[in-house]
Every structure is written in C-alpha cells, then in structure tokens.
Amino acid sequence: MFTVLEIIKRTTDFLEKHGVESARLNAELLIGHALGLKRMPLYLQFERPLTEPELEKIRPLVKRRGAREPLQYILGEVEFAGLKLKVDKRALIPRPETELLVELVKARLPAAPARILDLGTGSGALALALAALYPGAAVTAVDKSSEALVLAGENAGLAGLSGRVQLLISDWFAGLPEGEQFDLIVANPPYLSEEETQNAPPEVKNFEPVTALASGPEGTKDLEHIIAMARRHLTASGLLACETGIAQHSRLAAWAAQHGFPRTESLRDLTGRDRFLLAFV
C-alpha cells in the first residue's frame, strides 16, 4: 500500500518522463484534486496510506496529464482576476498575462466606462473581470462559437454576474446592431503565426481550440480586422485594448494610425515582451 508522498513521487517521475513542466507541482495538484484536498492539507497527510478506490481516482487524471492534456482542463477550473472560472475544451484557457490587461485598463480608466465590449470572449474571463471591476458598466461579450458562449454563460452564473453581461453570438463585430458604440473594447483574439502554432507545446496545439490560437501566416489577420473595424464602434473618448503577439506592435500601431486612431500605446507583459496594444480615439 502506497502513502500519499510515495504516490506524489511516482507521479512526479511519470510526468517528468512525459515532458511535463513543473512535474512535482502538477502531481500535487492532480492528487489533491482527486482526493478533494488543497495542497496544505495534502502535505499534512503525506504518510497516510492510500486506498485502492483513491488510487483509482488518481490514475486517470495522471494518465491524461501524461498525454499532455492541460492541467487546467483536468482540474476544470482556473483563477482569473479574483474569479474562479470553469474551463474546458470549449474555449481557450485564460492566461495570467491576460489578467494584466485588466490591470492596465483599470489604470487608464479609473472612471467606469458606461459600455464595454469583449470580442471573442471564450470562457468569459475578460468580460466577467471587467463587469466585476466596473459594477456600473453594461458589458457585452461576443464569440462566434456557440459552445464558448454557453461556457461564458455558465461562468457568469458562477460569478453571480449573469444579469450584468449580455452574451451575443457574433464573428467579431458582425452581429452587433448597426451603429452600436462602446467606451471600451477589449480583445484577446487569436494571434499566433502558422510557425508559432506548429511549434507550440502539445498542451496548446493538441488540446486548445485552434480557432482561438492561430490567425493567418503572420498571426495578425484577426487583430488587423478588429483594429480596422473598432473605430466606428467606439465613442469619442473610447479605448481599444488588445492582447497581441510579441513581434507585431510596429505593424499594428501603423495599422491603427491608418484606421483613425491618433495615438497608440505598446505595453509589455510580466516577462518584458510586447504583449498589449492600446489604441485611443
């Protein structure tokens, strides 16, 4: 009979052999999830022998992670900007760098925007974080995937924000009423190039929806479309805030200038790489 600690060590070795980064952390989170324990209570039970029914709960989770399925999909949830969100294969996994976009918007818009649009909402992460940040704002979240919108709706319910966020099926701006305008438009669209998509880790390219990742040969197809269309949907003092690829900013800034934005701001993520482009009306 194996103890908790022995199974953690065996799982760590197994995950390391399958190329999983942070294998020990992954092992602890998977085993804790199977046993219904957070990490600290798990540590306090290191010497406890595991029963066969408990091992039967752990094995399939470890097998899935060894096949490089993302940890977040296996656990079924992720923390984002103070919210606990449900995640699965219907949408891209919200990333920590996208949380920074919320902070950057907050720093530039201390007064609540009256109307907010989240393009390609996926799990609803940005829309729900902004709805929580600006309680007086009316938030619209669009996605062309009906499955993603169902997930976003489930997350809105979990966050207690169902009445605050309107969910709309739309290919970017196409499904919006003619002439509808917003004070803030945010977007975390697909921005990987074909080469980046091919070279992405298995967790990304084999499990996350490819339509939420890749955007043409250079990765800028969707961003260019959004920038070209956004000006007509922004109010006179509006802001467009986008997450982007790390080598696209000079091209996108020039594109924004061509499409009616007098000023742009290029901002870096926590690793020091160009990640966010803000365009001001």
Side-chain angles (χ1 to χ4, degrees):
M1 189 172 290
F2 297 108
T3 66
V4 169
L5 182 58
E6 287 170 334
I7 291 301
I8 288 174
K9 290 178 177 177
R10 285 171 172 258
T11 300
T12 300
D13 291 343
F14 174 81
L15 295 178
E16 284 178 344
K17 288 177 184 176
H18 286 79
V20 174
E21 292 186 7
S22 304
R24 172 67 183 239
L25 174 61
N26 274 249
E28 291 175 358
L29 291 172
L30 288 169
I31 292 166
H33 179 70
L35 300 177
L37 297 171
K38 295 192 179 295
R39 288 178 73 199
M40 188 54 67
L42 186 71
Y43 295 160
L44 298 176
Q45 297 190 29
F46 271 180
E47 301 307 316
R48 177 172 73 82
L50 288 167
T51 66
E52 184 58 30
E54 287 175 328
L55 292 171
E56 288 177 359
K57 290 181 180 178
I58 293 169
R59 290 186 186 111
L61 305 185
V62 174
K63 184 178 180 181
R64 288 168 65 186
R65 190 67 186 104
R68 304 295 292 274
E69 183 175 347
L71 178 67
Q72 296 92 333
Y73 283 165
I74 300 171
L75 300 182
E77 63 182 29
V78 67
E79 295 278 345
F80 183 88
L83 301 173
K84 184 172 286 188
L85 301 178
K86 180 179 179 180
V87 290
D88 56 38
K89 294 180 182 181
R90 288 176 287 179
L92 195 73
I93 298 165
R95 267 51 170 188
E97 57 261 31
T98 309
E99 290 183 278
L100 183 56
L101 182 58
V102 177
E103 294 301 313
L104 295 171
V105 166
K106 180 181 177 182
R108 282 150 185 81
L109 297 177
R115 304 199 68 212
I116 298 171
L117 174 65
D118 177 21
L119 293 168
T121 195
S123 66
L126 277 174
L128 296 172
L130 291 167
L133 176 63
Y134 297 118
V139 182
T140 300
V142 306
D143 204 292
K144 68 180 180 180
S145 166
S146 57
E147 290 187 341
L149 281 180
V150 171
L151 177 61
E154 292 168 5
N155 280 324
L158 291 171
L161 294 166
S162 295
R164 294 280 322 286
V165 179
Q166 178 192 9
L167 300 172
L168 180 67
I169 191 158
S170 176
D171 188 359
W172 304 128
F173 298 99
L176 293 173
E178 185 67 29
E180 189 166 17
Q181 291 192 318
F182 302 86
D183 304 291
L184 170 64
I185 298 175
V186 295
N188 178 19
Y191 56 71
L192 295 185
S193 66
E194 289 178 353
E195 182 180 359
E196 287 171 327
T197 304
Q198 290 169 3
N199 295 331
E203 287 87 344
V204 175
K205 66 182 180 182
N206 294 343
F207 290 93
E208 295 195 83
V210 67
T211 54
L213 294 166
S215 184
E218 304 300 321
T220 57
K221 179 183 176 182
D222 289 294
L223 279 160
E224 288 175 346
H225 177 77
I226 288 167
I227 291 169
M229 297 291 293
R231 179 64 188 85
R232 71 191 70 177
H233 290 282
L234 282 166
T235 60
S237 58
L239 169 65
L240 171 66
C242 298
E243 184 171 328
T244 74
I246 60 174
Q248 301 170 344
H249 279 203
S250 59
R251 175 174 178 165
L252 293 175
W255 186 256
Q258 290 177 37
H259 289 86
F261 290 96
R263 182 168 71 91
T264 58
E265 192 175 350
S266 179
L267 298 162
R268 294 180 176 181
D269 62 19
L270 298 175
T271 66
R273 297 179 294 182
D274 288 339
R275 181 68 65 185
F276 309 105
L277 187 78
L278 307 186
F280 300 83
V281 175

